[in-house]
């Protein structure tokens, strides 16, 4: 009897596991499908139009996909092969890298958003909650106004500015240790001050072009990204993702709250700082190539959690698929909706994100705690 | 969780006449000496220079009014609050000489209030208790799974295993948290007010788990209780605290007396001896001006 019950329990355990895993698989498949569709749309439309069939044939052209030299040129820098046709050039040198950057940015923002929601135990947290966006934004404005000689280094400087702001937030929040609430409040402090300085700097710009590029940066845009941006973001993205998936058990325990985590023998302060550092690395990689794209890091972890639950490994895996899909999908709208004018992708993600939260607010009674 | 099944008198919970029937004299599992514990650097110490011995493989109950320092003492013993002065020895070794995970393999503390993450199953939550036993890159071993199964069985929540924790009642959820602490598989378990806010049925469930722990897995249990009657009935030792000081300690019969209740809890009460141990009938609060 007892044995029968045990077997039953085991089978139902396997059943639940299978059920949740299949939901994750379905999420991943749907995401990939939509991503593929968005890619084909993005590749075929534009000033040099292609049919969907031509787009498909060019994207999945084995002569390029399986050519080591071409990838060497793309990923390590170098000249595009001379034998490229005009169509291949447009697809592979202009439209596809923009999609790839979108994939990297989406994955980074979604995963780091998920981590920050766990660290702060607040599902309204985003990758920018600990001052990163304001630090990066301030540095961008400073570079554009005062130190225009450093313009080529802008991506790196912005990422560094974000990281510095994060450290400053930690210093402010620290008093015999930190807590999620103290961290969030310190983030507000730093954000308010940096944001004010940043807005003040706008008044020192007398060139409309510079104002435009600053605005594009602050809204987050994939305009003009190419393989150089892929080369900047890819290594940091891979590193951040590997680290993030290595600490999923720590994330699971951190989610139980400080007291319980400490009872289970976790050095909470160290782990929290390390985990936040991983998320900052990830965010910085995204900021460096796309500026401050909003809402992706907020809503993607949210949607994934609603589908697969709060198990960290599944949550991060889901974010890894849904984040790129949402960002690339939004970029299709940003690039094509008002063609020939291209909007920053951050405007589209905001337009999508707002109503999603409205829907959530109406549907759920308890909103806030993870 | 295997261990010698101690042959306690079976079929009765009457321990009032003979609290330790066939045991060798108790050794000390946790010993706190001259402890001064405060929250933060600046505030006045809540516990000021107290010593306490927790006997091995027995149930010790901490009782006392609100603000008497029960939880603080518990946190001091678990090294969750670093004492300003004094030492805590666990099995004769200073607690601060353990690594955090090593300490968590020997001593577990279940806090007063716990909030479960959204969308987590009972089995998954209990599994988190294995954290101190896992290396950074290890996945759960057979030992871990066995410990989780044991904890779930001991807490009597087998039937809830696959349920979402968010869908449980408060009493059931408390049993799940206790199961998580049990999965930690420690020699010493500290429970901070495990029965407060529970209905009588779940209070008794919790206290039975505590008894089973002591009797069948040789675990030292320390618990903070608000219900003096429960302390009297289930504990081998009772420590009464007042204003951050140990007011009295000893077996329940000698602690739970009208005089102590008047001094420590400021209540007028009669204590009736029953076959289930001393029973407290609170009558009136004693006001300062009338004492």
């Amino acid at each position: 009897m007892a044995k029968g019950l045990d077997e039953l329990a085991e089978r139902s355990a396997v059943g639940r596991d299978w059920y949740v895993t299949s939901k994750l698989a379905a999420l991943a498949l749907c995401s990939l499908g939509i991503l593929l569709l968005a890619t084909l749309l993005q590749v075929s439309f534009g000033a040099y139009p292609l049919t969907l069939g031509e787009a498909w044939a060019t994207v999945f052209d084995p002569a390029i996909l399986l050519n080591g030299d071409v990838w060497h040129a793309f990923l390590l820098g170098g000249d595009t092969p001379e034998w490229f046709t005009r169509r291949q050039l447009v697809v592979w040198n202009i439209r596809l890298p923009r999609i790839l950057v979108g994939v990297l940015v989406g994955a980074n923002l979604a995963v780091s958003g998920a981590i920050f929601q766990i660290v702060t135990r607040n599902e309204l947290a985003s990758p920018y909650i600990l001052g990163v966006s304001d630090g990066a934004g301030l540095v961008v404005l400073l570079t554009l106004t005062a130190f225009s000689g450093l313009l080529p280094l802008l991506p790196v400087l912005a990422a560094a500015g974000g990281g510095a702001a994060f450290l400053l937030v930690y210093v402010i929040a620290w008093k015999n240790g930190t807590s999620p609430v103290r961290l969030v409040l310190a983030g507000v402090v730093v954000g308010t001050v940096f944001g004010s300085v940043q807005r003040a700097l706008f008044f020192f710009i007398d060139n409309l072009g510079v104002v435009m590029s600053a605005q594009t940066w602050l809204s987050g845009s994939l305009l003009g990204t190419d393989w150089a941006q892929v080369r900047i973001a890819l290594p940091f993205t891979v590193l951040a993702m590997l680290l993030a998936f290595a600490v999923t058990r720590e994330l699971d325990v951190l989610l139980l709250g400080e007291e319980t985590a400490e009872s289970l023998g976790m050095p909470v302060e160290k782990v929290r700082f390390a985990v936040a550092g991983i998320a900052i690395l990830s965010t910085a990689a995204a900021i460096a190539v796309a500026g401050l794209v909003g809402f992706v890091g907020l809503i993607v972890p949210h949607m994934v959690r609603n589908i697969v639950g709060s198990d960290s490994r599944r949550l991060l895996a889901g974010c890894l698929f849904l984040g790129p899909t949402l960002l690339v999908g939004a970029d299709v709208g940003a690039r094509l909706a008002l063609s020939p004018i291209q909007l920053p992708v951050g405007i589209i993600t905001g337009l999508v994100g707002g109503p999603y939260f409205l829907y959530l607010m109406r549907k759920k009674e308890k909103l806030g705690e993870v | 969780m295997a261990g010698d099944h101690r042959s306690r008198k079976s079929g009765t919970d009457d321990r009032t006449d003979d609290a330790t029937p066939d045991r060798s004299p108790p050794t000390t599992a946790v010993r706190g000496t001259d402890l001064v514990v405060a929250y933060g650097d600046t505030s006045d110490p809540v516990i000021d220079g107290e010593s306490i011995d927790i006997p091995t493989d027995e149930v010790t109950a901490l009782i006392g009014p609100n603000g008497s320092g029960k939880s603080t003492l518990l946190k001091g013993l678990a090294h969750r609050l670093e004492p300003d002065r004094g030492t805590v020895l666990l099995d004769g070794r200073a607690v601060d000489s353990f690594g955090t995970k090593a300490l968590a393999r020997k001593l577990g503390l279940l806090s007063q209030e716990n909030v479960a993450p959204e969308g987590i199953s009972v089995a998954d939550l209990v599994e988190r208790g294995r954290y101190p036993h896992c290396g950074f890159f290890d996945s759960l071993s057979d030992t871990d799974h066995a410990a989780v199964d044991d904890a779930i069985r001991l807490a009597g929540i087998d039937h809830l295993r696959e349920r979402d924790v968010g869908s449980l009642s408060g009493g059931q959820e408390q049993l799940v948290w206790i199961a998580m602490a049990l999965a930690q598989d420690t020699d010493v378990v500290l429970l901070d007010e495990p029965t407060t806010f529970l209905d009588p049925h779940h209070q008794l469930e919790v206290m039975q788990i505590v008894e089973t722990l002591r009797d069948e897995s040789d675990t030292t249990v320390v618990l903070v209780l608000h219900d003096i009657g429960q302390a009297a009935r289930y504990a081998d030792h009772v420590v009464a605290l007042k204003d951050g000081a140990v007011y009295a300690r000893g077996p329940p019969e000698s602690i739970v007396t009208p005089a102590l209740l008047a001094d420590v809890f400021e209540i007028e009460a009669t204590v009736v001896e029953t076959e289930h141990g001393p029973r407290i009938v609170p009558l009136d609060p004693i006001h300062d001006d009338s004492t």
Side-chain angles (χ1 to χ4, degrees):
Chain A
M1 175 68 188
K3 195 167 175 246
L5 277 179
D6 275 0
E7 266 169 29
L8 202 67
E10 208 161 281
R11 208 171 307 155
S12 76
V14 172
R16 182 187 157 108
D17 215 40
W18 182 86
Y19 176 64
V20 181
T21 308
S22 67
K23 280 207 280 192
L24 176 60
L27 172 73
L29 278 179
C30 287
S31 297
L32 285 179
I34 298 173
L35 180 61
L36 182 66
L37 186 70
T39 301
L40 289 179
L41 284 176
Q42 193 77 308
V43 166
S44 38
F45 289 97
Y48 180 87
L50 302 172
T51 65
L52 282 179
E54 286 171 329
W56 176 280
T58 319
V59 171
F60 293 99
D61 186 351
I64 299 174
L65 274 180
L66 303 176
N67 188 320
D69 289 344
V70 175
W71 284 106
H72 189 275
F74 286 156
L75 295 180
L76 298 175
D79 294 329
T80 317
E82 286 164 14
W83 50 267
F84 264 33
T85 62
R86 184 176 155 83
R87 184 195 297 166
Q88 284 168 331
L89 216 51
V90 168
V91 170
W92 279 90
N93 238 8
I94 299 172
R95 293 182 185 169
L96 269 183
R98 173 168 178 156
I99 293 163
L100 268 179
V101 173
V103 166
L104 295 176
V105 169
N108 276 317
L109 290 178
V111 166
S112 73
I115 293 179
F116 275 120
Q117 290 179 2
I118 291 171
V119 166
T120 59
R121 295 190 83 204
N122 184 331
E123 64 180 342
L124 300 180
S126 79
Y128 304 145
I129 195 155
L130 298 187
V132 177
S133 54
D134 305 285
L138 180 59
V139 170
V140 168
L141 260 289
L142 276 175
T143 312
L144 288 173
T145 50
F147 306 100
S148 48
L150 297 172
L151 219 48
L153 294 175
L154 191 62
V156 185
L157 289 177
F166 161 71
L167 290 178
L168 183 62
V169 165
Y170 239 92
V171 170
I172 292 176
W174 191 272
K175 185 185 173 193
N176 293 320
T178 60
S179 72
V181 176
R182 292 184 67 87
L183 283 172
V184 172
L185 287 178
V188 172
V189 171
V190 170
T192 309
V193 175
F194 279 24
S196 287
V197 177
Q198 176 192 311
R199 277 192 297 282
L201 281 173
F202 266 103
F203 292 92
F204 295 89
I205 307 176
D206 40 19
N207 179 338
L208 190 62
V210 175
V211 173
M212 286 291 279
S213 64
Q215 273 302 347
T216 308
W217 235 94
L218 296 178
S219 313
S221 170
L222 295 177
L223 183 64
T225 51
D226 64 15
W227 287 104
Q229 275 71 33
V230 176
R231 287 194 289 272
I232 292 175
L234 188 61
F236 296 105
T237 307
V238 171
L239 178 65
M241 295 302 131
L242 287 177
L243 290 172
F245 277 90
V247 298
T248 49
R249 185 180 297 146
E250 272 65 22
L251 290 173
D252 279 337
V253 172
L254 208 52
L255 191 56
L256 300 179
E258 280 168 274
E259 298 232 327
T260 311
E262 273 181 17
S263 291
L264 291 174
M266 172 183 281
V268 170
E269 288 299 347
K270 282 183 209 159
V271 171
R272 182 158 51 206
F273 185 75
V275 164
I278 295 171
I280 291 294
L281 177 67
S282 187
T283 310
I287 289 181
V289 293
L292 304 173
V293 181
F295 271 106
V296 176
L298 186 55
I299 57 176
V300 172
H302 217 277
M303 295 164 109
V304 175
R305 193 179 300 109
N306 279 346
I307 297 170
V308 303
S310 54
D311 179 85
S312 301
R313 197 157 2 135
R314 291 200 187 102
L315 177 63
L316 294 192
C319 286
L320 206 51
F321 284 99
L322 189 58
T325 301
L326 189 78
L327 199 90
V328 173
D331 195 40
V332 174
R335 179 168 160 260
L336 302 176
L338 298 180
S339 182
I341 293 176
Q342 297 198 16
L343 292 171
V345 65
I347 289 178
I348 305 293
T349 54
L351 284 178
V352 177
Y356 175 77
F357 264 94
L358 184 64
Y359 155 77
L360 216 61
M361 228 169 85
R362 297 273 162 193
K363 192 174 137 232
K364 287 178 77 173
E365 284 178 20
K366 210 179 92 189
L367 195 69
E369 267 176 6
V370 172
Chain B
M1 309 280 283
D4 295 334
H5 286 226
R6 222 183 295 115
S7 55
R8 292 181 55 76
K9 279 194 289 182
S10 56
T12 170
D13 52 1
D14 178 6
R15 289 183 280 103
T16 51
D17 53 345
D18 185 4
T20 53
D22 44 31
R23 269 178 250 175
S24 50
T27 53
T28 302
V30 185
R31 166 169 289 167
T33 312
D34 300 330
L35 288 176
V36 178
V37 190
Y39 288 94
D41 294 332
T42 48
S43 56
D44 289 336
V46 180
I47 301 286
D48 202 351
E50 284 302 320
S51 299
I52 185 171
D53 283 0
I54 307 293
T56 309
D57 298 347
E58 296 196 352
V59 175
T60 303
L62 303 183
I63 60 171
N66 292 334
S68 59
K70 308 179 294 287
S71 298
T72 313
L73 180 59
L74 212 58
K75 284 180 184 164
L77 291 177
H79 201 242
R80 294 286 299 287
L81 282 175
E82 182 124 23
D84 292 345
R85 272 201 307 281
T87 54
V88 178
L89 301 180
L90 175 64
D91 279 345
R93 189 178 148 192
V95 283
D96 50 8
S97 71
F98 287 90
T100 54
K101 271 192 171 182
L103 182 62
R105 287 193 292 268
K106 299 216 120 231
L107 180 146
L109 168 66
L110 185 64
S111 319
Q112 225 171 91
E113 279 173 54
N114 300 287
V115 183
E118 199 182 294
I120 186 171
S121 74
V122 168
D124 281 350
L125 183 55
V126 176
E127 209 180 278
R128 304 281 186 267
R130 295 306 292 171
Y131 177 76
H133 296 270
C134 294
F136 190 70
F137 289 109
D138 299 348
S139 51
L140 290 182
S141 67
D142 288 348
T143 323
D144 294 320
H145 286 297
V148 169
D149 289 344
D150 277 346
I152 286 179
R153 198 170 310 127
L154 194 55
I157 50 170
D158 250 322
H159 58 297
L160 302 175
R161 214 183 155 103
E162 301 311 320
R163 288 273 296 277
D164 191 314
V165 177
S167 72
L168 303 180
S169 74
Q172 291 172 324
E173 188 178 337
Q174 178 70 342
L175 294 180
V176 174
W177 284 105
I178 289 177
M180 189 204 77
L182 298 184
Q184 215 175 320
D185 198 9
T186 54
D187 301 337
V188 181
V189 175
L190 312 181
L191 303 171
D192 196 352
E193 296 194 23
T195 58
T196 311
F197 306 121
L198 300 190
D199 58 35
H201 173 86
H202 285 100
Q203 292 194 14
L204 290 176
E205 294 250 19
V206 169
M207 296 315 293
Q208 273 184 2
I209 295 169
V210 168
E211 279 200 315
T212 317
L213 264 184
R214 172 194 60 193
D215 295 344
E216 290 178 14
S217 13
D218 293 337
T219 306
T220 306
V221 184
V222 184
L223 60 173
V224 172
L225 289 176
H226 261 304
D227 186 328
I228 311 159
Q230 260 170 18
R233 182 172 164 198
Y234 289 98
D236 302 307
H237 286 263
V238 177
V239 178
L241 288 141
K242 188 187 185 185
D243 297 334
V246 174
Y247 184 86
R249 68 188 103 203
E253 314 80 75
S254 68
I255 298 297
V256 181
T257 60
L260 179 126
L261 293 176
D263 284 347
V264 173
F265 290 93
E266 296 176 352
I267 54 171
E268 202 182 309
T270 54
V271 178
V272 188
E273 286 295 330
T274 71
E275 57 174 318
H276 303 297
R279 162 140 203 88
I280 294 97
V281 184
L283 300 174
D284 280 308
I286 300 172
H287 298 290
D288 279 341
D289 49 325
S290 66
T291 48

